[in-house]
Amino acid sequence: MSGNITFTMIKPTAISKGYTGKIIDQVIRGGFRIKAMKYTRLSKKEAQRFYAVHKERPFYESLTTFMSSGPIVAAILEKQNAVQAYRDYIGATNPEEAEEGTIRKLYGTSIEANAVHGSDSDENALVESGFFFSERERY
Ligand code: GDP
């Protein structure tokens, strides 16, 4: 059975371009309930830890530098079948290939600065949520 939470971040470029409010609004309009949210910034070491699963990928160094380059918004979202529903909703990893009207198509700048993160499995949704939020920060 699939779980009902996923984890997301609004990435630094989307924040600096002023898209934060529009993205949060689109997330809510998609039927995702905000269970936890914070405005914060990752150190380079924290970004490396968060993306440890991608350690062997050629873009790991660039991605972790980018993700620690400015503030982000981190959030836990709740919906039925949340992980897949959110991945469908935000669009393809590369904004150029994302469907019209999706968050990544509208607010993504490049394959790296693609506006938002979305967990890729229920297991990772739990790990990623735990990275940022204690139980008492979830409502
Ligand atoms: P996602 O699950 O759609 O976010 O995609 P992946 O798990 O494959 O990659 C994680 C993140 O790494 C993406 O959201 C991008 O920010 C970044 N990324 C993925 N592919 C590339 C790439 O080819 N080059 C660079 N620079 N970054 C990438």
Side-chain angles (χ1 to χ4, degrees):
M1 209 187 92
S2 52
N4 64 350
I5 67 154
T6 191
F7 172 79
T8 189
M9 291 185 281
I10 304 177
K11 300 188 179 186
T13 305
I15 302 257
S16 66
K17 287 190 164 192
Y19 298 147
T20 309
K22 288 193 166 77
I23 291 173
I24 293 172
D25 181 58
Q26 188 155 341
V27 168
I28 292 169
R29 280 191 284 113
F32 297 88
R33 194 184 74 81
I34 294 170
K35 196 173 168 61
M37 179 170 274
K38 64 175 71 162
Y39 185 57
T40 185
R41 183 173 178 165
L42 289 167
S43 68
K44 171 83 176 182
K45 280 215 161 73
E46 287 169 332
Q48 286 171 329
R49 201 150 51 81
F50 184 88
Y51 283 108
V53 289
H54 293 313
K55 216 163 36 206
E56 308 306 327
R57 310 276 284 270
F59 54 81
Y60 178 68
E61 175 58 28
S62 173
L63 176 63
T64 54
T65 296
F66 165 61
M67 288 302 294
S68 56
S69 68
I72 57 150
V73 169
I76 303 173
L77 306 176
E78 190 173 58
K79 189 180 185 172
Q80 218 171 40
N81 190 23
V83 165
Q84 193 55 50
Y86 193 63
R87 291 181 72 80
D88 292 345
Y89 193 62
I90 63 179
T93 305
N94 186 348
E96 284 179 17
E97 290 162 15
E99 257 183 69
E100 289 301 327
T102 58
I103 293 175
R104 282 174 162 173
K105 182 69 168 193
L106 288 168
Y107 305 115
T109 303
S110 66
I111 189 165
E112 184 172 86
N114 56 359
V116 289
H117 168 84
S119 303
D120 64 4
S121 66
D122 289 338
E123 189 190 355
N124 283 338
L126 294 179
V127 172
E128 292 170 359
S129 297
F131 190 97
F132 283 91
F133 298 101
S134 67
E135 283 306 322
R136 80 157 305 288
E137 293 174 296
R138 305 175 192 204
Y139 308 101

